[in-house]
Amino acid sequence: MQVTFYGVRGSIPTPGPEYVRYGGNTACVHIRLSDGTDIILDAGTGIRLLGNKLIGQQTPIHLLLTHNHWDHIQGFPFFAPIYQAGREINITPGLTSLPEYDQILKQMQGSVFPVPSSALTSNICLKPIPEEIDSWTIGNATITRLPMNHPGKGSAYTIVENGVKVAYITDNELYPPYKKETDFLTFVEFARDADIIIHDAQYMLSDMPAKSGWGHSVAEEAVKLAMASNAKRMALYSHDPERTDDDIDNVVAHCSEYITIAESDVELFAASEGLTLNL
């Protein structure tokens, strides 16, 4: 399984010289299974560059959305394969508190975008998964879903193929002040023994309590989740738009102290655009 980061920023794209090393595009991760199946996690602005790579083939694309907030769907209108005649694109919307499973297409309607979704020549299939179903297959992989703690709800995912496990848990508040969809220990079991956990780390403990309830986790808590889950790697993700490259370096250094003190073997790093992992 190959995992490549195309967008790692939370909330809004962040161009500029202070954001070059980690990147400023919003959420998008590409997973290529061993059988060549393409799975995309979220459609933030990072999906544009991924589209330029995938446009050279005709194989189906499987897009799993966590939720409908703009930073997770705003790149979709610029995703080249949607303009590719006959290209099969399967979209699984995230869990939502409102029945708005087609927002990724509705954002192209009216006066806000020049090309309506009705004009697309690809074969787009929206595939909402009933809430009572928490596991299904794509290619050789088993996909498992869990509700996340975020305003408007959403989905966390694990992708497992040939014994390799990726857990994608972003825009998730591990300890929200509002009613939890999922508690910490359930997330621990969900991500148990993952080869990599990609987890929301937009805030730090020093940002609290001002950001409590905003729907994102603090990096220190995300690291504790990785250690409790016995994960091999932890990618800090959904970087705050205010954090520069140097700031993110400091977050990693600070959180590494927790791992050292706990004598854990978790490999910690901050997700960066263009980084590819072969698992």
Side-chain angles (χ1 to χ4, degrees):
M1 187 188 296
Q2 186 180 77
V3 179
T4 303
F5 296 92
Y6 279 87
V8 301
R9 190 68 55 170
S11 299
I12 191 170
T14 53
E18 294 180 305
Y19 306 94
V20 171
R21 282 191 289 115
Y22 289 102
N25 279 303
T26 57
C28 181
V29 176
H30 177 225
I31 294 179
R32 175 155 287 169
L33 302 181
S34 62
D35 65 357
T37 299
D38 290 303
I39 297 176
I40 304 173
L41 297 162
D42 279 328
T45 56
I47 202 172
R48 182 182 67 85
L49 293 176
L50 174 57
N52 294 342
K53 175 181 178 181
L54 297 181
I55 193 68
Q57 57 198 58
Q58 279 286 352
T59 50
I61 293 170
H62 303 271
L63 173 58
L64 304 178
L65 297 174
T66 54
H67 61 306
N68 289 331
H69 288 168
W70 283 343
D71 51 328
H72 293 257
I73 66 171
Q74 64 193 154
F76 185 78
F78 301 92
F79 183 49
I82 68 175
Y83 301 96
Q84 195 172 2
R87 188 71 181 269
E88 180 183 334
I89 300 175
N90 303 294
I91 303 174
T92 300
L95 294 169
T96 176
S97 57
L98 296 171
E100 297 177 334
Y101 297 112
D102 57 351
Q103 288 299 312
I104 192 167
L105 299 179
K106 282 187 174 178
Q107 69 174 319
M108 300 176 70
Q109 294 180 1
S111 62
V112 297
F113 197 75
V115 181
S117 60
S118 59
L120 299 178
T121 56
S122 58
N123 181 17
I124 296 176
C125 182
L126 281 170
K127 294 186 173 181
I129 304 294
E131 192 159 350
E132 62 271 16
I133 296 175
D134 57 15
S135 185
W136 63 95
T137 59
I138 295 177
N140 291 331
T142 298
I143 313 299
T144 304
R145 177 179 65 183
L146 193 67
M148 64 186 189
N149 303 320
H150 196 66
K153 209 170 177 179
S155 299
Y157 297 100
T158 61
I159 299 93
V160 178
E161 184 202 27
N162 296 331
V164 175
K165 181 176 181 178
V166 174
Y168 184 72
I169 313 172
T170 192
D171 288 45
N172 178 59
E173 192 163 8
L174 286 167
Y175 295 102
Y178 45 84
K179 183 180 182 296
K180 297 176 184 175
E181 294 286 343
T182 302
D183 63 28
F184 182 85
L185 292 179
T186 302
F187 279 118
V188 168
E189 292 307 314
F190 182 68
R192 175 72 64 189
D193 297 326
D195 290 87
I196 183 171
I197 300 176
I198 302 167
H199 197 286
D200 184 332
Q202 189 152 339
Y203 301 136
M204 298 186 71
L205 285 173
S206 57
D207 294 316
M208 298 299 154
K211 301 296 178 67
S212 178
W214 287 32
H216 297 276
S217 286
V218 302
E220 295 94 333
E221 292 167 354
V223 169
K224 291 177 182 177
L225 172 65
M227 292 190 291
S229 301
N230 193 38
K232 294 182 179 67
R233 298 180 180 92
M234 160 62 86
L236 303 179
Y237 191 70
S238 190
H239 307 310
D240 191 282
E242 297 298 325
R243 295 202 202 286
T244 65
D245 290 334
D246 290 343
D247 291 334
I248 295 173
D249 287 342
N250 292 334
V251 172
V252 174
H254 171 71
C255 289
S256 294
E257 295 177 3
Y258 283 69
I259 295 174
T260 300
I261 292 170
E263 298 182 347
S264 171
D265 294 326
V266 174
E267 178 187 335
L268 178 69
F269 62 96
S272 59
E273 286 182 33
L275 176 64
T276 294
L277 302 173
N278 293 302
L279 304 178

